[in-house]
Amino acid sequence: MTPVTADDTAGMSPLFARLTRGGQWLRQADRARPWVLDTAVVVLVFLMFCVPDLVHGHDGRRELAARFTRPPLAGMLALQAGLVLPLLWRRRNPSAAFAVITGVFLLQWSLGVVLRADVALLIALYSLTLHGTPRHLAWACAVTAVGLILVAVRASVVVSVWDALFFLFSAAIAAVAVGMAVRIRRAQLAGLRERAARLEIERDQRSRLAAATERTRVAREMHDIVGHNLAVMITLADAGVYASDVAPERGKQALRLIGDTGRQALGELRRMLGVLREEAEAPALSPQPGIADIDALCARIRSAGPLISYRTTGDTDALNGGVQLTVYRIVQEALTNSLKHAGADTQVHLAIGVEGARVRVRVQDTGPPGGARPAGPPNEEGHGLVGMRERAALYGGTVDAGPVPRPGRGWTVQATLDLTPLPGSEGGTP
């Protein structure tokens, strides 16, 4: 249980705040040493209800002295001990404590002995209600009712049976009601504490899941930016080395393209890292690329050597920013893979079409001139293909990649995105 602090009692009255802190302290002390409270209850009952019987007896009331017997001191102490001492285990084993006290109670009244220590029966009934099982409480109430009827009949010489039954049953019902109220309250508090702990765990899990999702998104963006631009720069650098000896102007052009590609990559990296900083200035951030930027993307790839044919069908400008970014990244990754694996002499056919509620993307290359495509590790997919599938999955789409069926050669990437609006995805950025 969380301890009560000064902030928790700030809005309370001084008296109620002190009582709250005192109750919290008592509960903590009781959990540490439960035997102290059990012993204190026994001592208090003995002082309040047993000592008067030992000293004063029936207080001189002749009716009680005439109708009821006063046992010798040893017998009275034995009956009082049988009624009071079982209260020591009233919380650890309430059913056993109630059974012993009830047996002594019935024996006492069958002998015609009146003792103030009979209040232990009500305390045991309260403890059984609070700590025992409902099944035991049912028979305990029935046994108590039988015992109280016996007491009412015995006390009919002093008070009417109905008055005695009303008083005794009211006391028993009050003991059960108080025990039930405290038990329900404790169960409610335990449920609230459990719910608070569960909500805290769920909050931590959501935080970790959000962090993992964000890491995946950033890693995917970094892979697309760095992987694509580095592939273009490496290809241009190789071509520049070759062209520097044959056609120096082509070598200079390759160097300029490398610089432009590097600056573009640096700008995209700054934008990506800038959104992760709390102090990033929004005006300094450029918009995310879309389908309109695919022409420039194809131009950069063409500068590295491959021939690219690009066509679109349908109203691609009407697509929201999230779908356009997804299409752009899929095309970027597919073109980068064609450049890396098929080489600079391949031909790439790129088609983007909007068909009803779907967007279809198809990227197919003719493979390297020799027809042999470099293979990756067996049974292992690259991060790029995984990233494309993750992006497509955000819009209920799929990505298929594989070699062109015979008799053709090359590699094909086909992606399908669903334009049906999804909660939280419309207009967003994946």
Side-chain angles (χ1 to χ4, degrees):
M1 180 183 297
T2 304
V4 177
T5 61
D7 294 337
D8 298 328
T9 59
M12 303 179 182
S13 64
L15 177 59
F16 190 74
R18 285 194 294 270
L19 291 176
T20 301
R21 287 192 292 268
Q24 177 72 10
W25 179 83
L26 288 176
R27 284 191 292 271
Q28 292 176 351
D30 183 50
R31 285 195 298 271
R33 297 178 180 83
W35 59 270
V36 175
L37 179 59
D38 295 334
T39 304
V41 170
V42 171
V43 172
L44 185 63
V45 171
F46 177 79
L47 294 177
M48 293 181 61
F49 301 100
C50 296
V51 172
D53 279 337
L54 295 174
V55 176
H56 303 294
H58 298 309
D59 294 331
R61 284 175 286 182
R62 295 181 179 180
E63 298 88 350
L64 293 176
R67 303 294 298 185
F68 298 99
T69 61
R70 178 179 175 80
L73 181 61
M76 183 175 292
L77 287 174
L79 291 174
Q80 288 178 343
L83 291 170
V84 176
L85 289 181
L87 295 178
L88 287 172
W89 64 82
R90 65 184 180 86
R91 293 190 294 179
R92 289 171 294 175
N93 197 340
S95 299
F98 178 83
V100 174
I101 293 174
T102 302
V104 177
F105 177 82
L106 295 176
L107 174 63
Q108 165 212 325
W109 279 95
S110 65
L111 296 176
V113 178
V114 178
L115 294 176
R116 292 181 176 87
D118 289 339
V119 73
L121 179 66
L122 298 179
I123 298 176
L125 185 60
Y126 162 82
S127 300
L128 180 60
T129 306
L130 179 58
H131 304 288
T133 60
R135 179 170 54 88
H136 291 171
L137 179 61
W139 67 258
C141 290
V143 173
T144 301
V146 173
L148 295 182
I149 292 174
L150 173 63
V151 173
V153 172
R154 281 282 191 173
S156 60
V157 296
V158 180
V159 65
S160 67
V161 174
W162 298 111
D163 291 342
L165 285 176
F166 175 78
F167 172 77
L168 294 173
F169 275 94
S170 296
I173 292 173
V176 174
V178 172
M180 192 64 69
V182 175
R183 181 168 187 161
I184 292 173
R185 178 60 177 169
R186 289 184 179 179
Q188 290 175 341
L189 291 176
L192 290 175
R193 287 193 294 269
E194 181 182 358
R195 183 171 181 269
R198 187 169 61 251
L199 289 176
E200 184 176 357
I201 294 174
E202 292 177 356
R203 182 199 62 191
D204 294 340
Q205 290 176 343
R206 285 195 299 269
S207 298
R208 288 194 294 269
L209 181 60
T213 303
E214 185 65 13
R215 285 195 298 268
T216 302
R217 186 186 72 84
V218 172
R220 189 170 56 226
E221 291 288 338
M222 295 288 287
H223 173 272
D224 291 342
I225 295 171
V226 176
H228 164 73
N229 289 285
L230 283 182
V232 174
M233 293 170 67
I234 291 172
T235 304
L236 288 173
D238 293 340
V241 171
Y242 174 77
S244 61
D245 297 329
V246 180
E249 289 299 324
R250 294 294 301 273
K252 293 180 180 180
Q253 182 182 5
L255 291 176
R256 284 194 295 269
L257 291 174
I258 290 174
D260 294 339
T261 304
R263 280 188 290 272
Q264 180 185 3
L266 183 60
E268 292 187 7
L269 285 176
R270 283 176 175 172
R271 184 188 66 244
M272 172 56 56
L273 298 178
V275 298
L276 301 179
R277 298 175 55 189
E278 296 179 354
E279 301 176 357
E281 297 181 1
L285 302 179
S286 60
Q288 292 277 39
I291 293 180
D293 300 293
I294 293 181
D295 285 323
L297 173 66
C298 292
R300 289 196 302 272
I301 298 295
R302 290 190 189 101
S303 66
L307 299 177
I308 301 177
S309 62
Y310 170 44
R311 64 183 180 88
T312 61
T313 58
D315 189 4
T316 57
D317 294 334
L319 300 176
N320 63 47
V323 175
Q324 292 203 31
L325 175 61
T326 299
V327 172
Y328 180 90
R329 292 303 188 196
I330 291 176
V331 171
Q332 183 185 51
E333 181 63 29
L335 292 178
T336 302
N337 288 340
S338 295
L339 180 61
K340 288 192 298 184
H341 298 291
D345 297 327
T346 188
Q347 297 182 12
V348 182
H349 302 281
L350 168 61
I352 301 174
V354 180
E355 303 173 1
R358 294 186 180 276
V359 178
R360 301 187 185 278
V361 179
R362 179 183 177 88
V363 182
Q364 179 176 338
D365 62 56
T366 58
R373 188 183 188 92
N379 301 324
E380 180 178 340
E381 291 184 346
H383 295 288
L385 183 57
V386 174
M388 286 191 289
R389 286 173 175 166
E390 289 177 351
R391 289 183 181 277
L394 294 176
Y395 293 93
T398 58
V399 174
D400 296 320
V404 176
R406 294 179 180 276
R409 57 189 176 89
W411 195 266
T412 302
V413 175
Q414 297 185 89
T416 303
L417 306 182
D418 191 352
L419 297 184
T420 303
L422 296 176
S425 64
E426 188 170 2
T429 298

